[in-house]
Amino acid sequence: NETWSEWDTGGDGALDENEFATGLGDNSWFGDWDTDDDNMLGEREYTDGVFGLWDDNADGALDDNEYGYYNTYYGD
């Protein structure tokens, strides 16, 4: 949540594309993760997007190896 609030400069609880790019750079993820096409990412869209990056085998669960990505991004 700390990182989210730093990126959410508008303080509206969602990330627009510019706020997202500040946190994660210029990539296609914003468009892919904005599932309701409102040009904003809610926390659920963000977390689902990150989960999808980690879930290499797309089975809807993180095995020990996939869960290791958590430490890569967020530390122990």
Side-chain angles (χ1 to χ4, degrees):
N1 285 335
E2 181 178 54
T3 302
W4 183 273
S5 64
E6 289 175 12
W7 296 353
D8 181 19
T9 57
D12 59 2
L15 299 180
D16 64 31
E17 194 163 1
N18 290 328
E19 292 167 332
F20 181 83
T22 297
L24 289 175
D26 188 21
N27 55 56
S28 68
W29 295 341
F30 184 89
D32 295 343
W33 297 357
D34 182 20
T35 56
D36 61 6
D37 293 322
D38 67 350
N39 294 315
M40 301 290 281
L41 285 185
E43 286 189 59
R44 182 59 191 245
E45 289 172 314
Y46 174 80
T47 57
D48 285 352
V50 170
F51 182 88
L53 292 176
W54 296 352
D55 186 16
D56 284 336
N57 61 5
D59 67 351
L62 299 181
D63 60 31
D64 287 340
N65 189 40
E66 292 166 332
Y67 189 75
Y69 292 129
Y70 178 88
N71 292 330
T72 299
Y73 288 99
Y74 298 107
D76 293 331

